[in-house]
Amino acid sequence: MGMLQTMRWFGPNDPVSLMDIRQAGCSGVVSALHQIPVGEVWPVEEILRRKQIIEADNDRYSALSWSVVESLPVHEAIKKAEPSRDLYISHYQQSLRNLAQCGIRTVCYNFMPVLDWSRTQLTYAMPDGSLALRFVWLDFILFDTCILKRPGAEADYLPELVAEAKDRFTTLTANEVRELANTVLLGLPGSEEAFSLTNFQSLLDAYQTIGDQELRENLYYFIQQVAPLAEELGIHLCIHPDDPPFPLLGLPRVVSTEADLDQLMAACEVRANGITFCTGSLGVRADNDLPRMVRKFGDRIHFIHLRTTKREDHPRNFHEADHLAGDVDMYAVVKAIVQEERRRKQAGQADASIPMRPDHGHQMLDDLTKKTYPGYSAIGRLRGLAELRGLEMGIERSLP
Ligand code: DNO
């Protein structure tokens, strides 16, 4: 048994091929229809087309299947409770019906306003010469106060850090400034386009009346509209936590801690209201006890991202470490997952094998000269998966 091993595939334009994913030892593929604008219904024909591409070589080679949708994105109007939100929720519901009709049963989403995940550096050199993604708080402050010049930004940070950021700004070349801006604004996974600065500020402005409480209410409203339907359809919805797990750019973030997940789980008590347990995102916070969270939310964990970060000198600075070498106690997390899977198996549940993907990986070996989606080069993920697979096997064998 064990976790269902998967890898993310961005679609036919992904430089990493389905054959690469197969040879990494996966049987599941995690994919999304990135070409469909956020908020539009995913048509059955398009879903089937993607499914056929994924399964095309199954008669000749070991089988791959489309196990998880990551992501079916949530329209900003829903996050902001704009008048059109119910229309977009009805589109979301229709996409879920269409996915269920095509046999896809696990759907990941997130509720981060405007930006999905954020980093300040995509090519941080590790001691072995591979490259990692990194988040540096001072550079983020520099972006916010000196490049974006968000009104009121300075009040969000310690004055000495703002002063330090301003000093550092004067030392950057035009190229370095452009690179930092592009890195922070690289908003949408699966696209190589960054937001433009002016457009971006207007997206932030639209959140002026939405604080922590409002965003929570909007999330709970959304889940109450979609999770009962998902339950009926046999779909597991799974929210991806905030990455990084703290508010950025004056925007609230409400899926960062155990308490946040508690509230969300309680807002709609159906199993379809579930979690993507991303150890890389949650693990940035030292106050998140990940093995405990696996035990607590066990039955609601429908998808797992295994990755770890290493905190640096400032508690908000981190880089992505080797999969077994960061702050996350990966042994304890995987052990808790194995135990949850055994519990499910004993209870006769059909979903005892939880889909897992090695999240991100270092750019290394041949990939150093290739252009790939940041974090999603093949070899680093293959290394991560291989290590995790061995860890899981060792744990399985050592448990009674
Ligand atoms: C980053 C990913 C996220 C994730 C979304 C899920 O590598 O983990 O972009 O796909 O937040 O909705």
Side-chain angles (χ1 to χ4, degrees):
M1 218 207 22
M3 295 182 270
L4 174 70
Q5 295 171 19
T6 74
M7 259 194 207
R8 190 173 201 176
W9 186 61
F10 287 106
N13 296 330
D14 195 327
V16 177
S17 71
L18 289 165
M19 210 55 190
D20 295 342
I21 293 177
R22 178 179 270 121
Q23 290 181 9
C26 295
S27 55
V29 173
V30 172
S31 199
L33 303 179
H34 297 285
Q35 71 276 19
I36 298 184
V38 176
E40 284 183 19
V41 175
W42 285 17
V44 168
E45 312 77 67
E46 297 269 332
I47 301 169
L48 286 179
R49 188 169 313 140
R50 176 61 57 89
K51 210 174 133 95
Q52 277 154 11
I53 296 173
I54 291 172
E55 293 171 5
D57 288 330
N58 284 2
D59 48 350
R60 282 192 294 156
Y61 299 104
S62 51
L64 287 179
S65 64
W66 186 1
S67 321
V68 179
V69 165
E70 176 177 356
S71 305
L72 182 58
V74 177
H75 195 273
E76 288 284 300
I78 299 176
K79 300 180 197 164
K80 291 182 287 191
E82 285 175 352
S84 56
R85 81 163 151 181
D86 289 323
L87 174 71
Y88 285 111
I89 288 177
S90 71
H91 289 178
Y92 206 93
Q93 292 169 327
Q94 191 54 45
S95 295
L96 291 178
R97 287 189 198 98
N98 293 353
L99 285 164
Q101 189 184 322
C102 302
I104 292 166
R105 306 269 174 220
T106 308
V107 176
C108 170
Y109 70 102
N110 75 75
F111 217 76
M112 287 175 261
V114 186
L115 276 184
D116 196 304
W117 59 309
S118 311
R119 296 290 182 269
T120 59
Q121 196 184 350
L122 303 177
T123 52
Y124 175 60
M126 296 295 289
D128 63 4
S130 62
L131 303 178
L133 308 184
R134 186 181 189 214
F135 185 89
V136 176
W137 189 228
L138 189 71
D139 285 340
F140 199 83
I141 298 174
L142 186 161
F143 167 79
D144 196 7
T145 57
C146 305
I147 302 178
L148 177 63
K149 302 193 183 81
R150 177 173 62 90
E154 293 188 13
D156 285 357
Y157 308 107
L158 292 175
E160 53 271 31
L161 288 182
V162 174
E164 207 183 319
K166 284 186 174 167
D167 278 351
R168 180 163 151 68
F169 182 56
T170 61
T171 69
L172 296 187
T173 64
N175 253 345
E176 287 169 331
V177 169
R178 203 171 313 122
E179 199 175 310
L180 175 59
N182 279 337
T183 303
V184 174
L185 295 176
L186 200 85
L188 299 173
S191 108
E192 283 159 45
E193 274 171 48
F195 292 109
S196 78
L197 273 180
T198 32
N199 181 22
F200 187 66
Q201 183 59 53
S202 65
L203 297 173
L204 299 183
D205 292 343
Y207 274 85
Q208 258 158 13
T209 57
I210 311 223
D212 179 279
Q213 200 46 43
E214 288 75 17
L215 189 66
R216 275 177 212 278
E217 280 163 19
N218 300 344
L219 168 59
Y220 305 155
Y221 178 87
F222 167 72
I223 202 69
Q224 284 158 4
Q225 310 303 311
V226 295
L229 170 71
E231 186 80 12
E232 254 173 58
L233 295 168
I235 283 189
H236 290 146
L237 288 169
C238 37
I239 194 163
H240 190 285
D242 306 324
D243 182 4
F246 41 79
L248 292 178
L249 302 169
L251 298 168
R253 290 199 149 183
V254 298
V255 193
S256 299
T257 64
E258 182 177 331
D260 291 340
L261 288 169
D262 268 331
Q263 280 188 48
L264 172 60
M265 295 301 98
C268 182
E269 290 279 2
V270 297
R271 204 172 161 237
N273 173 22
I275 297 170
T276 297
F277 198 79
C278 176
T279 57
S281 306
L282 295 166
V284 165
R285 291 181 70 119
D287 58 349
N288 278 333
D289 178 342
L290 302 189
R292 183 185 128 97
M293 288 164 81
V294 174
R295 288 189 288 273
K296 175 170 193 175
F297 299 114
D299 207 31
R300 299 280 195 102
I301 296 175
H302 302 314
F303 183 30
I304 300 165
H305 288 178
L306 293 180
R307 168 168 74 78
T308 179
T309 55
K310 185 87 193 143
R311 283 181 286 277
E312 301 177 13
D313 47 346
H314 186 281
R316 292 202 164 173
N317 293 359
F318 61 86
H319 62 267
E320 302 194 356
D322 283 319
H323 284 76
L324 302 185
D327 293 315
V328 171
D329 183 348
M330 204 56 92
Y331 168 77
V333 168
V334 173
K335 188 170 174 191
I337 293 167
V338 168
Q339 282 165 334
E340 166 61 16
E341 291 187 324
R342 287 187 175 195
R343 190 197 60 71
R344 291 184 187 189
K345 198 171 172 203
Q346 266 162 16
Q349 287 177 224
D351 57 1
S353 182
I354 308 174
M356 172 278 284
R357 66 176 181 82
D359 197 15
H360 302 179
H362 292 159
Q363 206 178 336
M364 61 194 293
L365 307 182
D366 278 5
D367 282 339
L368 284 167
T369 57
K370 290 186 196 158
K371 183 158 169 40
T372 50
Y373 291 105
Y376 289 94
S377 50
I379 302 170
R381 285 187 291 161
L382 178 117
R383 172 179 168 171
L385 179 60
E387 293 179 353
L388 291 162
R389 183 186 290 136
L391 175 65
E392 183 190 32
M393 183 186 185
I395 291 171
E396 283 274 8
R397 290 280 188 98
S398 66
L399 284 179

